[in-house]
Each structure stands twice: as C-alpha cells, then as structure tokens.
Amino acid sequence: MKENLIYPTIEEMNQEIERLKRKKRGYRAVRWTLYSLVVVAAIVVLVATLWMPVLKITGSSMSPTLNKEELVVATRTKHFRTGDVIAFYYDNKILIKRVIATAGQYVDIKEDGTVLVDGEALDEPYIQEKSKGECDIQLPYQVGDGKIFVMGDDRAISLDSRTTAVGTIEEKKVLGRVVFKVWPWSSFGRVQ
C-alpha cells in the first residue's frame, strides 16, 4: 500500500529557507556578542591591572575620607605632593594613607596633633580630629631620599610613618595615587 506523501510547496520551502537563515544570523550575532564581551572584559582587566588598579577599603584609618567597603581607583604615577592619597605595598598588604612629606622635608607633630612640614603647619580639612596618635619616632623627622612620610586621616587609630613599625614608605613600593571612589554610587567622586 502506497502512502500519500505530502510535498511542501515552493512557498513553504522558501519560508523554511528564510527561517534557517534567520537562525544562522542569530547564532552569529550571539557568537559575536560573546566574543566582544570577552575582549572587553580582557581589556578592562588589563587596564585595571596595569594602569588603574581598583582597591577595596578594609580599615578605618582613612575615615572620613575613605570608609570600609568602598571601592577606589588608583592611577599609577611617580610624582606625589603633600595631601595626595596613595596606595602602597606594606608587609604583603596594600595600605592607603595620605602623603604628608616627601624626600628631604622635615616633619614635626605637636602634642595637640598639629602637623608641621618644614616648620609650617599643614592645612588639613580632611581630618575630623587632631591627634598625635601612636608616635615613637624622633621628632622633628627628616624624610630620607626616595621615601614618603604618610599618615592616615583618622590620626588617633592610624598606624603609619609616625611609628617605627611602619616608617616611611619607599617610592618604589607605591602602587599609585587614589583618585576616585567608585562604589557605592552614593559616594562616587574624586578623592580629596
């Protein structure tokens, strides 16, 4: 017994061909999108690693300027000024502190917490409360060649160049200058 075979019409065949072409274009679009995302992600990782590291704040020594859980972006540079916030390597960790003085400058700290650099009191609008904090170095202190004297903004609790445990930072250990807060969005902006 012969079965009745139903053959598609030309119109149905053309519709099927169009459907297969659309499907193929869809696959190409998805593949192209995935490739593009991988390339963009690789570029972002490369930029973040080489030129603009993204760092997470874990302590409170830079409060109120930087707070726990905030994400910041640093830019690599070799030129630092008093007041810059920098990230640097210390004891297999990355710390963030503020530049107080650079090579050749003298730092003195009064009992009330006033910081003097080369005999002039620093204008420090970024600190909430002055404090001499933990200080076991001989004052006035001259910063050595290739070194940076740093302090945290929360002077009462920050361990920084005022202690022999941390001391001054070698310029070659500086990761970069912290320039932007990027997370949470409510604190997005330049780091002052």
Side-chain angles (χ1 to χ4, degrees):
M1 173 172 186
K2 264 189 166 180
E3 290 186 34
N4 289 338
L5 296 176
I6 301 175
Y7 294 102
T9 65
I10 298 283
E11 185 179 316
E12 291 172 333
M13 286 180 22
N14 285 337
Q15 287 175 347
E16 182 64 15
I17 289 170
E18 278 303 310
R19 187 187 70 77
L20 292 172
K21 283 180 183 178
R22 280 194 309 272
K23 187 175 178 182
K24 191 173 183 179
R25 281 194 302 262
Y27 285 144
R28 273 194 222 134
V30 168
R31 194 173 337 125
W32 184 86
T33 303
L34 288 175
Y35 290 153
S36 298
L37 288 174
V38 168
V39 168
V40 168
I43 290 170
V44 167
V45 168
L46 189 64
V47 166
T49 303
L50 297 178
W51 296 290
M52 297 180 68
V54 177
L55 307 167
K56 182 177 183 180
I57 306 301
T58 58
S60 57
S61 69
M62 283 301 292
S63 180
T65 305
L66 302 172
N67 299 299
K68 279 185 178 182
E69 305 301 316
E70 288 182 330
L71 293 180
V72 296
V73 174
T75 58
R76 297 200 189 266
T77 183
K78 298 284 182 200
H79 307 287
F80 307 105
R81 299 182 325 243
T82 297
D84 287 345
V85 177
I86 62 170
F88 57 91
Y89 293 103
Y90 172 75
D91 200 23
N92 291 329
K93 293 184 255 183
I94 296 175
L95 299 181
I96 297 177
K97 304 288 181 190
R98 191 173 295 274
V99 174
I100 299 300
T102 56
Q105 294 184 305
Y106 285 89
V107 177
D108 199 2
I109 305 169
K110 304 256 184 208
E111 284 303 316
D112 71 351
T114 301
V115 178
L116 299 121
V117 175
D118 292 334
E120 303 236 354
L122 290 182
D123 177 27
E124 300 184 290
Y126 40 79
I127 63 171
Q128 286 183 330
E129 184 180 334
K130 291 182 179 183
S131 173
K132 190 169 184 180
E134 187 176 328
C135 182
D136 64 2
I137 60 170
Q138 181 77 28
L139 295 172
Y141 180 89
Q142 184 177 22
V143 182
D145 287 339
K147 304 274 187 154
I148 301 171
F149 192 97
V150 297
M151 293 172 70
D153 287 357
D154 190 345
R155 301 287 164 79
I157 66 163
S158 180
L159 290 177
D160 45 45
S161 294
R162 296 173 290 177
T163 68
T164 54
V166 176
T168 52
I169 307 307
E170 293 180 45
E171 287 180 357
K172 66 183 180 183
K173 291 189 176 183
V174 175
L175 183 61
R177 183 177 354 177
V178 176
V179 291
F180 278 106
K181 294 184 207 180
V182 293
W183 186 258
W185 291 114
S186 59
S187 65
F188 182 85
R190 287 192 60 78
V191 172
Q192 300 293 330

